[in-house]
């Protein structure tokens, strides 16, 4: 059995944890982490940089860690699949929200943030494609 999609999903989740961790760490140092471009500070320090009273990056660390655990459990047993799918859908909705904010409200793009957002959308897409094919690729 080929494990391409599960491997890619795991790598994307771990990438999101790493980027969220870097963004959070730099923010605790009063700096901004940006993989590319000049507008990360604009996005990360905006009023949209906090969610439920905590930095979006910290929220991302916990959310992606939970998503990782749920995905590993889903690979072991399908009993956890609805929880993973629900979490991935919620994460994708947040990703679309954050992309909308950057595109239409801030009119500034944080490349690191966009990597996280697009990766989140791909996690859900790849899982749904995997399920549609009826097997783990």
């Amino acid at each position: 059995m080929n494990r391409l999609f599960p491997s890619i999903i795991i790598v994307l989740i771990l990438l999101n944890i790493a980027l969220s961790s870097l963004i959070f760490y730099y923010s605790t140092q009063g700096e901004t982490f940006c993989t590319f471009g000049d507008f990360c500070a604009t996005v990360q320090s905006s009023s949209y940089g906090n969610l439920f009273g905590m930095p979006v990056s910290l929220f991302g660390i916990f959310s992606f860690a939970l998503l990782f655990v749920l995905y590993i459990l889903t690979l072991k047993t399908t009993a956890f699949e609805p929880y993973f799918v629900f979490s991935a859908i919620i994460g994708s909705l947040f990703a679309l929200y954050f992309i909308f904010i950057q595109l239409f409200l801030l009119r500034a793009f944080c490349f690191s943030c966009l990597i996280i957002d697009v990766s989140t959308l791909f996690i859900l897409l790849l899982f749904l494609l995997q399920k549609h094919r009826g097997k783990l690729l």
Side-chain angles (χ1 to χ4, degrees):
M1 176 186 326
N2 190 339
R3 310 282 281 167
L4 179 62
F5 278 18
S7 297
I8 293 171
I9 291 170
I10 288 170
V11 167
L12 290 175
I13 295 171
L14 293 175
L15 172 69
N16 285 354
I17 291 171
L19 284 174
S20 296
S21 297
L22 284 168
I23 292 169
F24 179 70
Y25 171 76
Y26 276 82
S27 73
T28 64
Q29 306 302 307
E31 298 178 27
T32 304
F33 175 79
C34 196
T35 53
F36 179 76
D38 297 330
F39 295 106
C40 292
T42 303
V43 173
Q44 293 172 24
S45 64
S46 74
S47 60
Y48 302 102
N50 287 303
L51 184 65
F52 307 123
M54 71 172 137
V56 170
S57 55
L58 183 60
F59 186 76
I61 294 167
F62 290 122
S63 299
F64 291 119
L66 174 63
L67 195 65
F68 179 78
V69 169
L70 289 173
Y71 189 63
I72 296 301
L73 292 172
T74 297
L75 290 175
K76 302 285 182 202
T77 173
T78 58
F80 288 94
E81 187 175 300
Y83 303 108
F84 174 79
V85 171
F86 178 77
S87 298
I89 289 171
I90 295 299
S92 293
L93 291 174
F94 272 109
L96 291 171
Y97 170 71
F98 291 131
I99 292 169
F100 174 85
I101 288 169
Q102 291 179 71
L103 184 62
F104 296 107
L105 300 179
L106 297 176
R107 294 191 174 134
F109 295 100
C110 166
F111 193 69
S112 304
C113 304
L114 287 174
I115 291 172
I116 293 169
D117 295 334
V118 171
S119 295
T120 302
L121 296 171
F122 272 111
I123 289 164
L124 178 60
L125 177 66
L126 289 173
F127 184 79
L128 295 176
L129 287 173
Q130 167 186 308
K131 289 305 295 178
H132 179 68
R133 292 186 135 188
K135 61 182 177 180
L136 297 177
L137 294 177

